[in-house]
Amino acid sequence: MTRIIDKLAWIQIVDGRILSTRTRGKDTYYIPGGKREAGESDWEALRREIEEELSVKLIGSTVKPAGVYEAQAHGQTEGIAVRMTCYTAEYEGELTPASEIEELMWLDHSGRELSSPVDKIIFDALHDQGLLKSAISDDSGSPA
């Protein structure tokens, strides 16, 4: 029997790159988000997690579902999976790492190799939809 870790993620893409974060002391990048606290809706949890981790406020009227993805949980024993329910939304403020987040990085499709297993699936889906650049067609620099 598979145990599921239920998480939420915020997909923010600019110029063919997706916003990813690295937690202090880790070498893997993750799409920002986290877990619900007791009684929280997806929106309440996502808004709280993004504000805590990235110091910005998501704009509720712009939130849209962006898919549900599942894979073996990174760093967990076999049979523990993570289910990532993804949303897009516009935001207010300046993206700044906070809490346990040490670094923000804008990754193109080649960045999937630096990411968790479920994020790799998300990277591939976004690339197949033409939303995430390939490294081959990449230009240098990060989004403004």
Side-chain angles (χ1 to χ4, degrees):
M1 178 189 283
T2 301
R3 191 177 121 223
I4 301 290
I5 299 170
D6 190 28
K7 295 184 83 176
L8 302 163
W10 177 46
I11 302 217
Q12 179 64 18
I13 298 173
V14 176
D15 295 333
R17 292 182 180 87
I18 188 168
L19 178 64
S20 292
T21 58
R22 186 176 56 78
T23 302
R24 197 167 283 104
K26 306 277 184 176
D27 61 0
T28 302
Y29 287 86
Y30 297 90
I31 296 169
K35 298 178 190 172
R36 289 173 209 81
E37 292 181 356
E40 281 185 320
S41 68
D42 281 8
W43 162 242
E44 291 165 335
L46 191 63
R47 179 182 59 195
R48 176 186 50 76
E49 286 285 349
I50 297 307
E51 191 167 348
E52 287 173 4
E53 294 179 354
L54 302 174
S55 306
V56 297
K57 292 185 185 293
L58 298 182
I59 301 169
S61 62
T62 68
V63 175
K64 295 180 184 148
V68 178
Y69 303 90
E70 194 171 303
Q72 168 64 37
H74 182 250
Q76 299 288 328
T77 57
E78 190 66 33
I80 299 177
V82 63
R83 178 179 299 133
M84 193 83 77
T85 303
C86 301
Y87 295 89
T88 61
E90 294 176 23
Y91 67 94
E92 298 173 328
E94 184 175 335
L95 291 166
T96 306
S99 188
E100 74 273 10
I101 303 303
E102 185 167 13
E103 180 184 15
L104 305 179
M105 180 74 72
W106 293 91
L107 300 174
D108 61 25
H109 187 250
S110 67
R112 75 185 295 282
E113 298 310 317
L114 303 171
S115 302
S116 71
V118 73
D119 286 10
K120 288 178 182 179
I121 293 169
I122 296 168
F123 272 56
D124 290 345
L126 295 170
H127 183 260
D128 290 348
Q129 294 169 41
L131 299 173
L132 209 55
K133 281 185 186 178
S134 297
I136 297 166
S137 67
D138 195 8
D139 58 4
S140 59
S142 62

